[in-house]
Amino acid sequence: MAAGLAAVALPLPALAAALPRLQVWREENCGCCVGWVDHMRAAGFPIEDNVVRSVAAARRRLGTPSDLLSCHAGLVGGYALEGHVPAAAVTRLLAERPAGIRGLAVPGMPVGSPGMEIPGEAPDIYDVLAFDARGGRLVFMRFRGGTSV
């Protein structure tokens, strides 16, 4: 328990040094993508923000299945990310490193997910899906807005 509390007490620069760089590919005029990048930066991830005309080429390189697409893509610690994946799911993935998992995705744009907060709207319950190279999928975590349920 004390070790867990010590990790929480780390200053932001020390925390950021412990997390791998997150590469993001997004289109210029996407406000929710900026919101997600801000969420990940606030969680301590150092960000390489790549503004591109189309995210399609990055998705092909990452091997993201077409039925899991959202509005932006990322790569962190060797894992592909697609859409509004909460930082809590990414840090769990990096800590556990489950065998065979290629990445995490939040298909669509659920209300209340990081970057998709809408004042006055109740947050959706949504799944963060883990996917593998063979097309397999499993529910990795479930969230209501930004909170794990």
Side-chain angles (χ1 to χ4, degrees), residues 30-64:
C30 184
C32 67
C33 295
V34 172
W36 182 75
V37 167
D38 290 344
H39 165 78
M40 298 303 284
R41 187 175 282 125
F45 284 91
I47 305 290
E48 177 188 310
D49 189 10
N50 299 288
V51 178
V52 294
R53 179 171 278 174
S54 171
V55 182
R59 289 183 173 125
R60 280 192 301 275
R61 282 193 314 274
L62 297 171
T64 306

Side-chain angles (χ1 to χ4, degrees), residues 24-146:
V24 178
W25 293 271
R26 65 178 181 87
E27 295 176 10
E28 180 177 18
N29 296 317
C30 184
C32 67
C33 295
V34 172
W36 182 75
V37 167
D38 290 344
H39 165 78
M40 298 303 284
R41 187 175 282 125
F45 284 91
I47 305 290
E48 177 188 310
D49 189 10
N50 299 288
V51 178
V52 294
R53 179 171 278 174
S54 171
V55 182
R59 289 183 173 125
R60 280 192 301 275
R61 282 193 314 274
L62 297 171
T64 306
S66 62
D67 63 320
L68 298 182
L69 299 183
S70 182
C71 58
H72 53 267
L75 177 66
V76 64
Y79 293 103
L81 301 175
E82 179 65 32
H84 296 268
V85 179
V90 177
T91 55
R92 177 182 164 203
L93 176 71
L94 293 169
E96 295 178 5
R97 297 202 167 270
I101 298 300
R102 172 176 252 163
L104 298 178
V106 173
M109 299 167 70
V111 172
S113 60
M116 285 298 300
E117 299 89 350
I118 301 173
E121 292 284 328
D124 292 335
I125 294 174
Y126 60 95
D127 293 330
V128 175
L129 302 175
F131 59 93
D132 65 23
R134 294 189 189 102
R137 314 276 188 334
L138 62 89
V139 174
F140 186 72
M141 292 180 80
R142 178 166 284 166
F143 285 81
R144 175 179 283 120

Side-chain angles (χ1 to χ4, degrees), residues 8-21:
V8 173
L10 286 175
L12 188 57
L15 180 60
L19 293 171
R21 176 178 56 128

